Amino acid sequence: MIYTVTLNPALDKTVEIPNLALDTVNRITKMRTDPGGKGINVSKVIAKLGGTSKAIGILAGNSGKAIQDALDGEGLAHNFRFVPGETRTNLKVIDPENHTNTDINEPGLTVTNADLDALLNDLLAEVHAGDIVVLAGSLPKGAPQETYRVWTSA
């Protein structure tokens, strides 16, 4: 099994705005939302290539529930731990006329060492010899810089 870990996932909201301009009203012509975060994106690519994986991570609030529901809708296996707060929403603005793509990313929720330890224990309870674990994406606020190093030595 391939496990993809996303500690700072996002609900990605992508909008299309032809001729985006500053200091004025802009009209969205297309919009969609997708579960996002580097590890989740890896799971989505694995599925498109015909493989299977399990997305693991931390979610919070209504946007976290929306991510979970979207993953269910896409048939992607997952095991997310919910914590207090709200999972970030990132805005992707595409201007097809000027061929630009602007990302506006929220900082995300704050986690505790207890949150991280609990998720690591969840992961270690599932992983077996021969499995692959992908640690991907930015760390949430509250996560020590050495989190990935600690997790790879567990």
Side-chain angles (χ1 to χ4, degrees), residues 12-98:
D12 287 337
K13 185 178 206 176
T14 303
V15 298
E16 191 171 289
I17 303 174
N19 293 309
L20 176 68
L22 298 178
D23 293 327
T24 188
V25 174
N26 291 274
R27 302 280 181 218
I28 296 170
T29 57
K30 293 182 184 174
M31 183 176 75
R32 75 170 198 265
T33 57
D34 300 290
K38 299 296 188 275
I40 290 172
N41 292 342
V42 170
S43 279
K44 291 181 345 186
V45 169
I46 290 169
K48 285 185 182 180
L49 294 173
T52 58
S53 68
K54 189 171 200 179
I56 306 285
I58 296 174
L59 295 174
N62 292 327
S63 53
K65 178 75 169 102
I67 289 171
Q68 188 175 50
D69 291 346
L71 292 174
D72 288 341
E74 293 181 28
L76 295 176
H78 58 83
N79 183 14
F80 282 88
R81 180 170 283 277
F82 272 78
V83 300
E86 188 67 42
T87 299
R88 65 192 176 135
T89 298
N90 292 338
L91 181 63
K92 315 298 183 186
V93 182
I94 298 170
D95 180 342
E97 301 296 323
N98 293 307

Side-chain angles (χ1 to χ4, degrees), residues 124-143:
L124 292 175
E126 292 192 41
V127 173
H128 297 91
D131 288 344
I132 296 169
V133 177
V134 178
L135 303 173
S138 62
L139 294 173
K141 290 183 285 183

Side-chain angles (χ1 to χ4, degrees), residues 7 56-58 79 81 115-123 151:
L7 298 179
I56 306 285
I58 296 174
N79 183 14
R81 180 170 283 277
D115 296 330
L116 294 171
D117 290 346
L119 184 64
L120 178 57
N121 288 332
D122 291 347
L123 177 62
W151 281 42

